[in-house]
Amino acid sequence: MPRNHFSLLFTLFFSAFYLFSFSNFGNAQNLNFTGTVKEESSGQELKDIHLFVANTSFQTFSDSLGRFSIPNIPPGRWELVIKGEGFETIQETIELVKNKSNNQDFLLKSDLRIFPLELKLSEKRREKLVQEFSESFLTASNYKEDIRLLNPDALIFSEDENSKETLVEAKGYLIFVNDKTGFLFTLYLLE
């Protein structure tokens, strides 16, 4: 093999090795945040509890043993939100540090909030209300034609006693998907 071909192959090999090594080096600095979620009074492990870092895509749900793991989070201070149907929401600042345990357990209290009496609706009327909610909710989005609600059954429609207006709440979280990108996002409606 001519000397200049060998030199070119050698340069390409080490350039690829350098890029691969340092691109993985950046990810190697990220951390896993793990722990368990239990019910406060009984100590029972809780499944399907949503844990997420506010305003990021870092999220997970607890498994049947109450365990959770949020992988690949950069070190630093983060605002963690923990929500589960029938339980009070926890919002807490966590600090993830390299070379330290990033494991934390959480105890959730039962939520004694009473949901309004849901309206008895025909399937057609419910579909119309879901469509109106989605259109109203996504009105300012440039991508509203691409976004759809995946779990409309989480919406609770009720009627205001005084004004007779139809109100909407969500039991748990709402999941939207962008059909073009496949990107999912989870939202909670606040009072």
Side-chain angles (χ1 to χ4, degrees):
M1 178 180 284
R3 184 172 173 87
N4 60 351
H5 284 242
F6 178 75
S7 175
L8 178 63
L9 284 174
F10 183 78
T11 303
L12 287 173
F13 172 76
F14 280 104
S15 297
F17 176 77
Y18 176 79
L19 287 173
F20 178 73
S21 297
F22 285 103
S23 66
N24 286 333
F25 180 73
N27 289 337
Q29 300 303 314
N30 291 344
L31 307 167
N32 289 335
F33 180 62
T34 60
T36 58
V37 183
K38 296 180 181 180
E39 201 275 324
E40 185 180 63
S41 60
S42 69
Q44 177 68 38
E45 294 87 4
L46 298 174
K47 69 176 185 170
D48 297 328
I49 301 298
H50 191 196
L51 298 97
F52 59 95
V53 177
N55 303 314
T56 73
S57 60
F58 299 119
Q59 66 176 328
T60 193
F61 287 86
S62 59
D63 67 14
S64 62
L65 299 175
R67 296 178 304 202
F68 70 87
S69 178
I70 305 176
N72 210 24
I73 304 177
R77 293 174 63 88
W78 299 97
E79 200 63 34
L80 181 71
V81 180
I82 305 166
K83 292 178 91 56
E85 188 174 331
F87 296 95
E88 291 181 0
T89 299
I90 294 176
Q91 189 161 349
E92 186 173 308
T93 301
I94 59 170
E95 185 160 1
L96 302 181
V97 180
K98 242 173 48 171
N99 302 323
K100 277 187 129 183
S101 172
N102 291 296
N103 187 318
Q104 190 169 345
D105 298 331
F106 297 96
L107 299 174
L108 298 184
K109 293 180 184 177
S110 292
D111 185 1
L112 303 176
R113 186 171 53 124
I114 298 172
F115 282 95
L117 186 60
E118 188 168 3
L119 288 175
K120 301 288 183 204
L121 302 167
S122 68
E123 189 174 321
K124 189 173 184 173
R125 177 71 176 136
R126 183 169 174 76
E127 284 176 11
K128 184 173 178 4
L129 287 172
V130 168
Q131 181 180 0
E132 287 175 6
F133 167 79
S134 295
E135 288 172 0
S136 174
F137 189 75
L138 298 170
T139 226
S141 173
N142 294 333
Y143 307 101
K144 60 185 163 197
E145 285 78 29
D146 303 328
I147 298 174
R148 83 187 142 88
L149 178 62
L150 289 180
N151 61 336
D153 53 315
L155 294 174
I156 299 172
F157 295 100
S158 62
E159 189 173 76
D160 183 280
E161 291 178 16
N162 299 326
S163 67
K164 300 296 183 195
E165 288 182 322
T166 302
L167 305 174
V168 64
E169 285 191 52
K171 196 169 195 177
Y173 51 88
L174 300 176
I175 303 171
F176 288 87
V177 64
N178 182 318
D179 287 323
K180 281 193 177 176
T181 64
F183 185 74
L184 294 172
F185 55 99
T186 307
L187 297 170
Y188 290 91
L189 295 180
L190 301 176
E191 289 183 30

